[in-house]
Amino acid sequence: VSMETFLLKVVKTVFKKELDLTNLVFVLPNQRAGIYLRKHYKNQILETKFFPEILTFDNLAEQLSGIYKSSAIELLFDFYKIYTKETPDNKTDAFEVFSNWAITVLNDFNEIDSYLVDPKAIFSSLKEINKLHNWNPNTELTKDYLIFFKNLEKYYHKFYKYLIAEKKGYQGLIFREAVKSLHSFIENTRHHFVFVGFNHLKTSESQILQELLVAGKASVYWNVPKNLLENKHPAGQFIRHYLSDWSYYKNNKIDWISTKSIDPDNIEIIGAPKNVGMIKYVGELIDASKDTDKTAIVLTDQNVLPISLNSLPKKIDTVNITMGFPLVYFPFSNLVKHIFEMHIHAISHGNTSYYYKTVLRILTHPIIQTYFNRVDRLVTDLTAKNNVTIHYADIKTSGESIIINDFEVLLKLFKPIKDNSIQVLLHKINSLIAILKNKQQGFEKEVLYKHFKLNQKLLQLNDKYPYFENKVKDVVPVKAFFQLYKRIIALENLNFIGEPLQGLQIMGFLETQALDFKHLIITSMNEGTIPKGKKPKSFIPFDIRKHYKLLTYREEDAIMSYHFFRLLEASEKVTLLFNNQTDTFGSGEKSQFLTQLLWKHPEIRQKIINPKVKSQNLELQQINKTPAVIKRLKEIATKGFSPSSLATYLYNPITFYQQKILKIKELDSIEETVTDTTMGTVIHDTLEELYKPFVGKLLHEKSLQKLIPAIPEQVKRAFKKTYKNGQFNQGKNRLIYEVIVNFVKRFISDEINTVKSGKIIRILSLEASLSHEVDFPKFNFPIQFVGKVDRIDEVNGVVRIIDYKSGKVESGQLRLDDFLKISTDYKYSKGLQVMLYAYLYSQQKSFDKEKKLQAGIISFKNLKSGFMPVNFAPPRSKLDICITTTHFEEFLKALENLLLEIFDTDIPFIESE
């Protein structure tokens, strides 16, 4: 047996009363309820009849007043027109500042009129209470704040008068004017109005309905369960008030009170981790359901709509979405934001070039990447130049050589803006929309159309009200306009249209008014979402709102409470889900409505669900050594293994395979902030240039002292050589530059102190390129090794092989008491590196084998440790830092073991854990 819904019951009752159907008008809370009522009405008609008119209360108010609702954007522009007329020039806010507070003021005006509050009384109260709060206005800001509240009443009256003359307005004004026209309307109308499914009524709505009832021109059917009217339940407070205070109900009974009640056996409360966990579970419920046509998913938080759509099972082929989704969340809106930001940044920096990140955000945006072929090559080309600032000519030259389809439209986005900036920018965006629309389908095409309409509206308004002209020096009109654009786009919704009477229903909470469902699924039943909480966006404080009977958070909670508990009693099966994942911002707290429900019905089923975690045996990546791989390894052996290539193998064999076997290089990226690699190169180049004059010579204190003044300029030259086109005179890069200067100064100061202590230092070589071929016993071909040593010197007769490290190295990383460590543990790769350098040097003809030899590292982030040599002694033993022939023999054996592993076809390249 199908359930008799509230709307079906209303239609049957109206038919029984035998009212004049030709003059009947139904008034409902929303359009969706009207569609369902129309269906029920049609099913009851057995012969051809006129269909009654179906309106919302807003539609009725427009008919009564003869005034039609303006868009939020148009109201904002109109209000600024009045504001500038009524405010002295020296006290007038620029439009972007005005729009910050004007939206809130317009909302307050709307409420004042909707609730028929006396403007003079409430504005006087506002003025006086702000005088009390700021009783000693000792700053210009405080004085201006008080003047603002003093002027609010003037702004209100002037704006009201202007809108009336234009026959347009906001909702509250329309209702205030509708009330003024009510008596005349009642006398002249032949219609009978049937109000269906209302709960909370604003004062203006209440007055219209009451007078129509008393005049016999209306009927009203409330949709309230009996138990919500009794026991002082907050959900029934408004209808209780109507029954006790309206004169109509002194002689008439209510139509009607439902006898339905909550069945706790049909309700289930489910806690799930995060929005994703909650919505994924909804998908599972729908997949298991056999009656999805009579199921509704109610999203109390509209932001989960995209996740919800992606989580629906494949069997769902018909979905009707009755809720707007903010335009700001769509990818094209994000692209528009990037275009604005690019031009704003350019204009604020002289409009001669673009910051590279703003350009790349546009060129790498998925929409641009999808439509414009080869645009990734343009990105690669611009990135390779390492320019932090990119000129229009750079983009034009690179793009034209690549041959990108519709490149002229893409290029147009990057053309610098000069005069009429706002119009030019909006036309750029519209040109992009014009070519994209042919490639988009469904709601994506609708998004483009919505943007186009919005841009056209803004162009018209800006022509009519030129509020963004650059009248003040250093004011960027585009930036001001962008602030407004962001607010407007946040208010714009994309309304999804589907077949409302078929398929799975997805809707917002307020769209459920007057409707009933077989299976109801409500998501995000969390405090702060439902109810919203105490966050009024208003200049009217709580006490004044309460005094003048405007909505406070208490009434808003009661409104939501009515909708929630009515839905529970009107549905055959209810599933309530909340996010139980608590975080520092308080989410995870279940809604007070759930707490109330469980207090009354503790037997309701509750459960907590957790995501299904599938255990995966993640195997490390393995690559077998094919003949082709071995051939490539032999090529490397002929050319030369470097210490860094061996260190890469120890770190991760897969990386070694990618870089050395496949020759895959890392992608170029624009280096805005100096990287560690660049920093190391600059230090190396600086020291090489400073010490070049001393090669083959002894170091003296005076000659080293002369180097110190030259350090800053030498670091700059090294920067310019390595950091192509990069800026290092400001921001983080300036700090890095100063750090490098400080490192080099400290290094040379340490050298001066060493010489002053009596040690004799001779520079033997700088950046020496070394190579040597080794015949290992277990290889049937020779293996070449190559390396470049940062510095080779001699201190008191001991030759030192020195490698500079810009990072931090500890002496423990250079302890080689067991040479097998270097062939198995990456930690000792720095020891392997300097030992290989030492071995290569020891094989050079210039090496005096009678000399003692050491190899080690100077770490610029650990300069206090000075030269850290490789130490061969076991822990807690005396230092053993001079390299002997025995050490080299053991080292070569370890090196051979490492190479045997690299060349072994039975040992694949295995990813490091």
Side-chain angles (χ1 to χ4, degrees), residues 452-484:
F452 180 79
K453 281 181 64 181
L454 177 62
N455 289 347
Q456 292 300 103
K457 183 71 175 174
L458 288 168
L459 285 166
Q460 291 168 11
L461 289 170
N462 193 56
D463 288 341
K464 187 177 178 183
Y465 311 106
Y467 297 147
F468 295 98
E469 289 178 0
N470 197 356
K471 296 176 182 177
V472 186
K473 189 181 178 184
D474 297 329
V475 171
V476 183
V478 175
K479 186 175 182 179
F481 185 78
F482 184 47
Q483 299 306 315
L484 172 68

Side-chain angles (χ1 to χ4, degrees), residues 5 19 79 131 331 587 617 641 718 830 857:
T5 65
L19 296 168
F79 186 33
K131 273 187 185 177
S587 65
N617 295 321
F641 279 101
K830 292 175 179 63
I857 283 172

Side-chain angles (χ1 to χ4, degrees), residues 575-822:
T575 307
L576 306 169
L577 297 105
F578 70 97
N579 170 15
N580 69 342
Q581 196 74 44
T582 306
D583 61 26
T584 51
F585 298 102
S587 65
E589 182 184 353
K590 68 174 68 166
S591 168
Q592 59 185 267
F593 297 154
L594 293 185
T595 306
Q596 292 168 18
L597 181 64
L598 288 167
W599 179 78
K600 189 80 180 287
H601 302 283
E603 69 274 27
I604 287 175
R605 296 189 309 281
Q606 299 182 68
K607 70 177 180 181
I608 302 296
I609 61 165
N610 290 303
K612 294 176 181 176
V613 180
K614 294 180 180 179
S615 60
Q616 288 182 310
N617 295 321
L618 291 174
E619 294 182 1
L620 297 175
Q621 188 180 0
Q622 292 190 18
I623 296 169
N624 293 323
K625 292 169 186 170
T626 62
V629 171
I630 298 300
K631 183 183 176 184
R632 173 67 189 136
L633 285 170
K634 286 181 178 178
E635 288 173 8
I636 297 170
T638 303
K639 190 177 180 181
F641 279 101
S642 66
S644 62
S645 65
L646 297 174
T648 300
Y649 179 82
L650 289 168
Y651 179 71
N652 186 3
I654 294 297
T655 305
F656 174 87
Y657 170 77
Q658 291 167 342
Q659 292 181 359
K660 304 301 176 184
I661 307 299
L662 300 181
K663 302 181 185 179
I664 296 173
K665 294 182 179 179
E666 289 187 14
L667 287 173
D668 285 336
S669 61
I670 291 175
E671 191 180 329
E672 182 184 1
T673 301
V674 173
T675 62
D676 290 342
T677 303
T678 299
M679 184 178 177
T681 305
V682 170
I683 292 171
H684 281 66
D685 289 353
T686 301
L687 290 174
E688 182 186 5
E689 290 301 318
L690 290 172
Y691 277 84
K692 261 182 185 178
F694 303 110
V695 174
K697 298 177 183 178
L698 296 177
L699 296 181
H700 298 286
E701 181 186 344
K702 284 186 179 179
S703 55
L704 288 171
Q705 287 284 7
K706 289 179 182 178
L707 294 179
I708 291 177
I711 291 170
E713 194 57 40
Q714 188 55 55
V715 172
K716 283 182 184 177
R717 283 197 287 270
F719 251 116
K720 287 175 182 176
K721 175 186 170 186
T722 304
Y723 190 46
K724 292 184 295 181
N725 303 314
Q727 299 295 318
F728 56 91
N729 55 2
Q730 61 185 7
K732 287 183 181 179
N733 289 351
R734 177 68 188 187
L735 294 175
I736 293 167
Y737 164 80
E738 295 294 347
V739 166
I740 293 172
V741 169
N742 185 49
F743 277 164
V744 177
K745 280 182 180 178
R746 283 179 59 199
F747 176 82
I748 294 175
S749 297
D750 288 347
E751 294 263 90
I752 291 169
N753 291 331
T754 304
V755 172
K756 284 170 71 175
S757 70
K759 290 184 178 179
I760 299 169
I761 305 175
R762 183 190 302 275
I763 303 294
L764 300 178
S765 179
L766 296 172
E767 299 295 326
S769 294
L770 306 174
S771 64
H772 182 66
E773 199 171 81
V774 180
D775 289 310
F776 289 105
K778 295 181 180 178
F779 283 87
N780 57 7
F781 54 89
I783 294 179
Q784 180 90 352
F785 292 98
V786 295
K788 184 179 274 191
V789 185
D790 294 331
R791 168 168 158 168
I792 303 172
D793 65 15
E794 185 180 318
V795 180
N796 290 350
V798 178
V799 176
R800 302 188 307 178
I801 307 296
I802 300 171
D803 189 54
Y804 300 138
K805 296 293 183 190
S806 57
K808 189 168 185 178
V809 180
E810 300 287 356
S811 58
Q813 294 170 262
L814 297 166
R815 181 179 293 279
L816 294 178
D817 53 303
D818 179 0
F819 275 98
L820 285 177
K821 288 177 180 177
I822 67 170

Side-chain angles (χ1 to χ4, degrees), residues 62 80 109 148 219 384 443 479 484 500 552 571 777 799 817 835:
E62 286 181 344
Y80 192 65
F109 287 177
F148 167 74
S219 310
F443 70 84
K479 186 175 182 179
L484 172 68
T552 68
S571 306
V799 176
D817 53 303
M835 274 298 293

Side-chain angles (χ1 to χ4, degrees), residues 116-310:
L116 303 180
V117 176
D118 177 8
K120 187 175 182 63
I122 193 166
F123 287 121
S124 176
S125 299
L126 272 175
K127 188 170 62 178
E128 295 306 318
I129 200 166
N130 277 284
K131 273 187 185 177
L132 287 172
H133 288 160
N134 300 278
W135 60 274
N136 184 24
N138 53 6
T139 67
E140 199 64 33
L141 186 64
T142 313
K143 290 174 185 174
D144 288 346
Y145 189 66
L146 290 173
I147 290 169
F148 167 74
F149 278 100
K150 184 180 177 183
N151 288 336
L152 266 184
E153 184 179 359
K154 176 175 67 174
Y155 296 148
Y156 167 83
H157 286 299
K158 294 287 184 182
F159 188 45
Y160 196 103
K161 187 177 178 182
Y162 168 81
L163 291 174
I164 292 296
E166 296 287 323
K167 290 287 182 184
K168 62 183 181 182
Y170 48 85
Q171 186 190 49
L173 177 148
I174 293 168
F175 270 92
R176 192 185 279 273
E177 291 300 307
V179 169
K180 290 178 185 177
S181 308
L182 189 56
H183 291 298
S184 163
F185 178 81
I186 288 172
E187 287 175 7
N188 295 307
T189 188
R190 290 179 299 170
H191 291 105
H192 185 86
F193 297 89
V194 181
F195 290 83
V196 180
F198 289 92
N199 172 45
H200 167 259
L201 296 170
K202 300 181 182 103
T203 308
S204 54
E205 293 172 327
S206 172
Q207 193 162 324
I208 291 168
L209 179 50
Q210 284 188 71
E211 294 199 28
L212 285 170
L213 284 171
V214 170
K217 299 283 186 177
S219 310
V220 59
Y221 296 94
W222 307 103
N223 187 11
V224 58
K226 184 178 181 181
N227 66 308
L228 296 187
L229 281 179
E230 298 170 351
N231 307 319
K232 296 186 178 179
H233 197 293
Q237 77 175 57
F238 299 110
I239 297 176
R240 279 198 301 272
H241 164 73
Y242 307 149
L243 293 176
S244 63
D245 289 12
W246 286 11
S247 60
Y248 175 80
Y249 285 114
K250 296 205 174 9
N251 302 310
N252 295 277
K253 290 183 178 180
I254 182 173
D255 283 326
W256 51 75
I257 299 172
S258 166
T259 55
K260 290 181 180 178
S261 60
I262 289 174
D263 184 353
D265 291 338
N266 293 333
I267 299 175
E268 188 174 32
I269 297 174
I270 296 167
K274 300 290 185 185
N275 286 337
V276 172
M278 182 172 57
I279 298 302
K280 290 293 180 188
Y281 186 74
V282 171
E284 291 179 18
L285 288 176
I286 298 300
D287 197 29
S289 174
K290 295 178 181 177
D291 205 3
T292 54
D293 277 8
K294 296 178 182 176
T295 299
I297 301 172
V298 177
L299 306 178
T300 61
D301 177 4
Q302 64 181 1
N303 293 325
V304 301
L305 177 60
I307 316 173
S308 304
L309 294 175
N310 288 329

